Amino acid sequence: MNLKKTTRPTMREVASLSGTSLKTVSRVFNSVPTVDPILKDQVLKAAKKLNYVPNMTAGSLRRTNGKTNTIGILLEDISNPFSSALYRVYENFASEHGYMIIAGSLDEDANREIELVNLFISRRVDGLLIAPSGKDHAYLKREMRNGVHFGFIDRPPVNFSADVVLSTNLEGSFEAVKHLISFGHTRIAYLGDSPDIYTAQERYAGYVKAMKDHKIAIDPKLVFKGFESQDQAVASLRDLLKSSDAPTAIFASQNLLTMVVLKALSAQGLQRKIAVVGFDDLPVSELLIPGVTLVKQNLAEIGRLSIEALLNRIDGDTSKFATTVVPTTLIPMGSGEIKPR
Amino acid sequence: MNLKKTTRPTMREVASLSGTSLKTVSRVFNSVPTVDPILKDQVLKAAKKLNYVPNMTAGSLRRTNGKTNTIGILLEDISNPFSSALYRVYENFASEHGYMIIAGSLDEDANREIELVNLFISRRVDGLLIAPSGKDHAYLKREMRNGVHFGFIDRPPVNFSADVVLSTNLEGSFEAVKHLISFGHTRIAYLGDSPDIYTAQERYAGYVKAMKDHKIAIDPKLVFKGFESQDQAVASLRDLLKSSDAPTAIFASQNLLTMVVLKALSAQGLQRKIAVVGFDDLPVSELLIPGVTLVKQNLAEIGRLSIEALLNRIDGDTSKFATTVVPTTLIPMGSGEIKPR
DNA sequence: CTGAAAGCGCTAACAC
DNA sequence: GTGTTAGCGCTTTCAG
C-alpha cells in the first residue's frame, strides 16, 4: 500500500509557481486590497492552474479570533417537516452570511444532546442553536465561558441562560380550544405528548385555560398525554370514539397526533361528524375533506430570529439574553368548524 | 475592545496540569493502548477539570492521511421530504462510523452545485455525495485526482465516472402505467418535470414504453412536461379535466405533481372518477379517500448503499465504479384501481 | 512506555 | 506594497 498523501496544492506551491511569497497569496485569497494587481493576477493564474482551494480549517487555526464560521444546529429530527423547514431557513441564512451549518437530530434523547454538543465543539463551532431534548443545561455554562455562543429554539433551556425563541404554545392552544367552544362544543378531547416536554405542558395549559375560562369541566376520560406508540394512540382513540363517552371535538396538540386523529376518524367515517383542530402544520392538509383546521407555527420567523441573534452574539453582542415569542396562527379549513350534533 | 481570545484549554495545558507530556495526552485521547493506566488516569482527570475537548480540525491538519472524517452531501432541497429522509439515513450512518455530515441544497441550480462543492472542499471533506443539478461534471475530475471521493445519487453524473445509486425510474413508471392500463384505461395523462432532468426523462420513457407495449397511441394533449409553477400546473389540469379531451387516468411522475393532481381532482369532485398513480411517496396519502396508489422509492436503501460505497472508497477501495439500481414498489391504495367509465 | 523536536497549511506580527 | 518569522493545536517521527 502506498501512502495516500493527498496531492492537493498548498498556498506555498501557489506562491512558488506564481513567483511571489506565501503571504502575498494569503493576501489575495483574503481579499486584502493593497496587493499589486499584477501580482494578484499571477497568483490567481497559478492558483487556477494548480486547482488550488484554500484550506479553511487550517486558516481558522491561526486566525486571531479562532472563528471557524461554522454553527451547529441540534434539531428534534431532521426528517420531520418541522425540523427540516427550520434547517432550510438556517442553511439559507448561513450561506448568505458566510457561515456553514452542521446539524444533528436528537430524537428526544438527552444523552444524544450532550454527545452532539461535544462533537460539534470538537469541530470548534462558533455557536450552537439547540431545540433541546435535555432537561438540564447547566453543563453548557463551561462551554459558554470558553467562548461558544448558544441560542435555544422551540423550548427554553433549564438551569442555563441564553437567547430563546419560542412559539405561543399556550396561547395558540387556548385559541384552538376556544375556537371549538365557540362552535358549541363542550366535550373536547385533548391529545398531547408527555408533560416532560415543555411544549406539551404549555399546550395542555392552553387547553385547560380555555375550558376553565368557559366554565367547562374537564372530563379526564377525554385527556390523553404521552402515548407509548402511534399504534397505541390509534387504538385508544378508536375505543374512545366507540364509547358512550365519545367527544364531539378533538384538539390534537401536535402534527403526528393530528394524523392519528384523522386516521381514526376516517376509519370510522366520522370525519364530518367530529370537529378537529390540530397544532402544527400538516402536509397536504388542504387535500383532505373537510380541510383540517390548524394552529400553525411561523417557522421562517423562528428560524430567522434565532440565527440572527446567534450571529450577533458571535459578532460580539453582549447585551442581556432575550426570550422572543413568535405568534401562532389559527387557520380555519373546515374540520374545526363542525358543530356538535 | 479586548481580544476575545478563546480561553479554551489545549492539549499542552492538560499535559502540564497532569504532569505528563503533550504526547501522552495525545495518546490518551487517541486511545493508544500502550499508556500507563496511572498516567492515563491523571490525564483524564486533568482534562475533565479543564473541560478539555480535543480540536479535531487541528488534529486532521497534521494527520498522515489528512482525513477530516467529514463528508459533504448535496441534495435537491433539504426541506423536501425526499431529501430530508435521505439526510437522516446519512446522519445515522455517519454517526455510527465516526463521520460528520455537512449538507446543502441545490434547488436545481448548476452553479450552486459548483459553489457548494468548492465550499465543502475548502473544508476538506473526505468525500462528497451528490444528487446533481449540473449537467456536466468534468470539473470534478481534478478534485478526484486531488484525493476527494465522489458518489452520485438519484441521477448519474455527466462526463465523469463515479459510483452511482439510482432508482428504477423507467421500470417504476412502466409498472405504474401498465397498472392503469390493466384496469382498462387508454386515455392516460402524463405529468412530469422538464426533460432536462434525468429522472423526468426516464419516467417519461417508462410511460411511453407501457403505452407502446399495449399499442395505445399517445395523445400529445395528455402529456405535460415541465410546468412553470405549481399554479400554472393546477390551471392546465383544471382546463384539461373540463375539456372533452379529459383523460380517464393520470400518471403523476413526481410528488409535487401528484399533489397538484389530487387538488385539481378534489376541487372538481372527480377523486372517485379519475384514476391516479403517483411516483414518489406522499405524506399522509393513506388519509385521503380514496387512498393514493404510489410508486415508492426505497430511500433507506439508496442512502445506505451510497454512503457505504463512499466510505469504502475513502478507506481505500479502488475497484471499478459501480452503478446500483434500487427497485421501486407500486403500492395500490385505491386511486390507481378506479376503472374508466 | 514516554517525550522532544519538527511541521501540517495557514494567518499575525513586524520588519523591509 | 511585500516578505520573513513565528506559531495556532495537534500528530508524526524518532530518540530515549
Side-chain angles (χ1 to χ4, degrees):
Chain A
M1 272 291 169
N2 54 347
L3 306 195
K4 55 185 53 170
K5 175 81 185 66
T6 312
T7 64
R8 185 164 284 287
T10 68
M11 241 178 202
R12 170 164 274 110
E13 296 174 53
V14 176
S16 77
L17 181 64
S18 65
T20 62
S21 80
L22 177 64
K23 184 63 214 182
T24 298
V25 179
S26 169
R27 287 195 179 96
V28 169
F29 278 94
N30 287 285
S31 307
V32 174
T34 61
V35 176
D36 186 324
I38 297 171
L39 284 191
K40 182 172 169 178
D41 213 58
Q42 291 172 25
V43 167
L44 256 18
K45 277 215 182 73
K48 183 152 220 168
K49 188 163 182 184
L50 292 172
N51 191 35
Y52 172 72
V53 180
N55 184 335
M56 280 213 42
T57 72
S60 57
L61 194 58
R62 189 62 174 87
R63 188 171 269 117
T64 312
N65 54 21
K67 265 186 56 177
T68 56
N69 280 262
T70 306
I71 75 175
I73 315 266
L74 303 187
L75 297 168
E76 195 184 319
D77 170 10
I78 301 196
S79 69
N80 123 356
F82 180 89
S83 299
S84 67
L86 271 177
Y87 180 95
R88 197 60 161 87
V89 175
Y90 293 133
E91 182 191 339
N92 289 355
F93 201 95
S95 144
E96 279 166 27
H97 293 256
Y99 279 80
M100 155 144 302
I101 296 292
I102 59 186
S105 303
L106 299 181
D107 298 321
E108 298 296 350
D109 180 343
N111 290 326
R112 185 73 184 142
E113 177 187 308
I114 296 176
E115 263 176 47
L116 280 181
V117 164
N118 272 293
L119 182 65
F120 287 5
I121 287 179
S122 81
R123 306 282 180 143
R124 293 299 184 267
V125 291
D126 299 324
L128 235 17
L129 239 28
I130 307 180
S133 289
K135 316 255 172 289
D136 183 357
H137 301 93
Y139 73 102
L140 295 176
K141 288 177 188 166
R142 306 169 302 189
E143 308 304 340
M144 193 177 248
R145 252 180 265 124
N146 284 339
V148 184
H149 299 277
F150 290 92
F152 281 73
I153 46 181
D154 193 43
R155 309 168 187 178
V158 181
N159 299 322
F160 182 70
S161 293
D163 294 316
V164 185
V165 179
L166 303 172
S167 276
T168 51
N169 289 291
L170 194 156
E171 297 81 352
S173 285
F174 176 80
E175 191 185 359
V177 177
K178 207 179 78 179
H179 184 77
L180 290 168
I181 293 171
S182 75
F183 282 87
H185 295 281
T186 57
R187 292 195 57 74
I188 302 172
Y190 169 88
L191 269 69
D193 284 322
S194 153
D196 284 2
I197 299 173
Y198 165 82
T199 48
Q201 263 172 48
E202 293 289 303
R203 293 174 195 175
Y204 181 63
Y207 167 79
V208 170
K209 182 171 189 303
M211 298 293 268
K212 280 222 171 109
D213 272 19
H214 293 84
K215 312 223 190 302
I216 303 172
I218 292 173
D219 180 349
K221 290 199 206 76
L222 299 183
V223 173
F224 296 83
K225 295 180 187 177
F227 292 107
E228 305 237 317
S229 67
Q230 195 144 334
D231 287 346
Q232 194 225 317
V234 172
S236 308
L237 202 58
R238 190 181 43 222
D239 293 348
L240 178 69
L241 291 173
K242 282 180 183 157
S243 77
S244 55
D245 296 321
T248 62
I250 302 175
F251 171 54
S253 79
Q254 187 246 80
N255 50 10
L256 258 54
L257 293 171
T258 309
M259 299 258 300
V260 164
V261 170
L262 297 175
K263 272 187 207 171
L265 290 179
S266 79
Q268 300 185 40
L270 291 170
Q271 63 269 214
R272 292 175 177 284
K273 307 269 170 74
I274 294 184
V276 177
V277 178
F279 204 106
D280 279 343
D281 203 355
L282 203 65
V284 301
S285 59
E286 68 276 18
L287 291 180
L288 298 172
I289 302 173
V292 189
T293 296
L294 297 172
V295 175
K296 295 193 187 183
Q297 304 193 57
N298 189 341
L299 297 183
E301 192 67 359
I302 293 174
R304 188 181 64 79
L305 290 169
S306 53
I307 194 165
E308 241 171 43
L310 184 69
L311 295 193
N312 284 339
R313 294 291 177 194
I314 293 171
D315 286 347
D317 176 3
T318 55
S319 60
K320 254 179 51 187
F321 294 126
T323 294
T324 310
V325 178
V326 177
T328 50
T329 314
L330 185 141
I331 302 181
M333 292 290 288
S335 74
E337 294 75 45
I338 295 171
K339 293 181 184 166
R341 284 181 278 186
Chain B
M1 272 289 166
N2 54 349
L3 307 195
K4 53 184 53 168
K5 175 83 185 65
T6 311
T7 65
R8 185 165 284 289
T10 68
M11 239 178 205
R12 171 166 272 109
E13 296 174 54
V14 175
S16 76
L17 180 65
S18 65
T20 62
S21 79
L22 176 64
K23 183 60 214 182
T24 298
V25 179
S26 168
R27 285 195 181 95
V28 170
F29 278 94
N30 287 285
S31 308
V32 174
T34 61
V35 177
D36 186 323
I38 298 171
L39 284 191
K40 179 172 171 178
D41 213 58
Q42 291 172 24
V43 166
L44 256 18
K45 277 214 182 73
K48 183 152 221 168
K49 189 164 182 182
L50 293 173
N51 191 35
Y52 172 71
V53 180
N55 184 334
M56 281 212 40
T57 70
S60 56
L61 193 57
R62 189 64 174 86
R63 189 170 270 118
T64 311
N65 53 21
K67 265 186 55 176
T68 55
N69 280 260
T70 306
I71 76 175
I73 315 266
L74 304 188
L75 297 168
E76 194 183 321
D77 170 12
I78 301 196
S79 69
N80 124 355
F82 180 90
S83 299
S84 68
L86 271 178
Y87 181 94
R88 196 59 161 89
V89 174
Y90 293 133
E91 181 191 340
N92 290 354
F93 200 96
S95 142
E96 280 166 26
H97 293 255
Y99 279 80
M100 155 143 303
I101 296 291
I102 59 186
S105 304
L106 300 182
D107 298 320
E108 299 295 349
D109 179 345
N111 290 326
R112 184 74 184 143
E113 178 188 307
I114 296 176
E115 262 176 49
L116 280 181
V117 164
N118 272 293
L119 183 64
F120 287 3
I121 287 179
S122 81
R123 305 283 180 143
R124 293 299 184 267
V125 291
D126 300 324
L128 236 16
L129 239 28
I130 307 180
S133 289
K135 317 252 172 290
D136 184 357
H137 301 93
Y139 73 101
L140 296 176
K141 288 177 188 166
R142 307 170 301 188
E143 308 304 341
M144 193 176 248
R145 252 179 266 124
N146 285 339
V148 183
H149 299 277
F150 291 92
F152 281 73
I153 46 182
D154 192 43
R155 308 169 188 178
V158 180
N159 299 323
F160 182 69
S161 292
D163 294 316
V164 184
V165 179
L166 302 172
S167 276
T168 50
N169 288 292
L170 193 156
E171 297 81 352
S173 285
F174 177 80
E175 191 184 359
V177 177
K178 207 179 77 176
H179 184 76
L180 289 169
I181 293 172
S182 76
F183 283 87
H185 295 280
T186 55
R187 292 195 56 74
I188 302 172
Y190 169 89
L191 270 69
D193 284 322
S194 151
D196 282 4
I197 299 174
Y198 166 81
T199 49
Q201 266 171 47
E202 291 289 302
R203 293 175 195 174
Y204 181 63
Y207 165 80
V208 170
K209 182 170 188 305
M211 298 292 269
K212 280 221 173 111
D213 272 19
H214 293 85
K215 313 224 189 302
I216 302 172
I218 292 173
D219 180 350
K221 291 199 204 77
L222 299 182
V223 172
F224 296 83
K225 294 181 186 178
F227 293 106
E228 305 237 317
S229 68
Q230 195 144 335
D231 288 346
Q232 194 225 317
V234 172
S236 308
L237 202 58
R238 190 181 40 222
D239 293 348
L240 177 68
L241 291 173
K242 282 181 183 155
S243 77
S244 55
D245 296 322
T248 62
I250 302 175
F251 171 54
S253 79
Q254 187 247 82
N255 51 10
L256 259 54
L257 293 171
T258 309
M259 299 257 301
V260 165
V261 170
L262 296 175
K263 272 187 207 173
L265 289 180
S266 81
Q268 300 185 40
L270 292 171
Q271 63 268 218
R272 291 174 177 286
K273 308 269 170 75
I274 294 184
V276 177
V277 177
F279 204 107
D280 279 344
D281 203 355
L282 203 66
V284 302
S285 59
E286 68 276 18
L287 292 179
L288 298 172
I289 301 173
V292 189
T293 296
L294 296 172
V295 176
K296 295 194 187 182
Q297 303 193 57
N298 190 341
L299 297 183
E301 193 66 0
I302 293 174
R304 189 181 65 79
L305 290 170
S306 53
I307 193 164
E308 242 171 41
L310 185 68
L311 296 193
N312 284 339
R313 293 292 177 193
I314 293 172
D315 287 347
D317 175 3
T318 55
S319 59
K320 253 178 52 187
F321 294 126
T323 294
T324 311
V325 179
V326 177
T328 50
T329 314
L330 184 141
I331 302 181
M333 292 290 288
S335 74
E337 294 73 45
I338 294 171
K339 293 182 186 166
R341 284 183 275 186

